[in-house]
Amino acid sequence: YRGYLRYNRVLKMIRIALDLDDTIVDFLGAYQEVFPGERNMISSNITKNVFKLKKDKRFWENLPLLEMPNFEPCIYATKRINSKVYTRNCLSRHGLPIKPIYQIYTQRGNKADIIKGRCDVLVDDSAFNCYQALEVGFPAILITRPHNMHSDYPYRVNKLDIEEILEVYKQIV
């Protein structure tokens, strides 16, 4: 029954897309170590600095694990510009399942556009990404992290736990 929803006596496996940065791995912590003078965490500054990190294999492969999900995601959905090889190596290093990685290369792009039909729900740390997905009718759940605690996004979980995700998912659909 883990990971399944009951619809009129029919069991359906829920397919979850997971964001990477600050959902599973600690991007912001690692970023602040590389750019310690960067006090003002404005996304345009982060984007500019991420271009400097684009080919930094060591940075992307060694991002610390924030939380291990207690389920296997269907895919990963991210807004990154680095090589997917670096991402796979990081996932492997932490013992996370190797699944397809769907990348959007712009911060304004909508993840729902590239993952719709491939999964049922997105779990992300960005309220912006979650609102974008909902606007096009795609279910999205916000994972609570220190940087989004004050967001008024209504569908959220406190950890990467399948039971908690299923409960919130049922509220959306």
Side-chain angles (χ1 to χ4, degrees):
Y1 184 73
R2 269 172 74 87
Y4 289 86
L5 288 176
R6 226 176 247 292
Y7 290 119
N8 301 328
R9 296 190 193 148
V10 177
L11 286 177
K12 178 186 184 245
M13 180 65 161
I14 184 173
R15 300 171 301 160
I16 301 170
L18 280 181
D19 173 51
L20 295 166
D21 297 328
D22 301 311
T23 297
I24 298 174
V25 294
D26 185 11
F27 170 81
L28 285 176
Y31 172 87
Q32 288 173 325
E33 283 184 25
V34 175
F35 300 100
E38 186 76 30
R39 289 202 187 333
N40 198 354
M41 298 297 283
I42 299 170
S43 52
S44 61
N45 291 350
I46 294 172
T47 300
K48 179 181 67 174
N49 288 333
V50 164
F51 274 97
K52 296 175 188 172
L53 296 171
K54 181 178 179 176
K55 295 185 182 202
D56 189 338
K57 178 179 178 181
R58 195 169 145 218
F59 176 83
W60 295 107
E61 289 185 355
N62 292 293
L63 290 171
L65 184 67
L66 270 179
E67 182 177 353
M68 178 70 80
N70 71 352
F71 59 90
E72 194 167 301
C74 171
I75 61 175
Y76 299 101
T78 187
K79 292 181 177 179
R80 284 186 171 187
I81 60 170
N82 63 289
S83 167
K84 287 183 186 181
V85 172
Y86 302 167
T87 300
R88 272 190 221 90
N89 290 344
C90 181
L91 293 170
S92 180
R93 181 175 164 268
H94 292 301
L96 288 155
I98 304 303
K99 296 292 182 175
I101 300 164
Y102 289 85
Q103 269 177 240
I104 290 186
Y105 299 97
T106 64
Q107 287 303 308
R108 294 281 170 209
N110 190 340
K111 289 181 182 181
D113 294 339
I114 62 168
I115 64 174
K116 215 174 207 176
R118 294 176 170 88
C119 58
D120 302 308
V121 64
L122 169 67
V123 177
D124 203 302
D125 71 297
S126 166
F128 176 80
N129 290 340
C130 290
Y131 276 119
Q132 267 192 321
L134 270 187
E135 283 174 11
V136 296
F138 191 81
I141 298 172
L142 185 69
I143 177 96
T144 301
R145 297 291 188 233
H147 61 273
N148 68 26
M149 295 200 63
H150 300 294
S151 167
D152 62 353
Y153 189 79
Y155 306 109
R156 60 168 68 225
V157 294
N158 293 311
K159 55 188 176 181
L160 295 174
D161 173 74
I162 189 65
E163 299 301 327
E164 198 173 337
I165 290 168
L166 287 172
E167 285 307 308
V168 175
Y169 179 71
K170 286 190 271 185
Q171 294 170 25
I172 302 172
V173 292

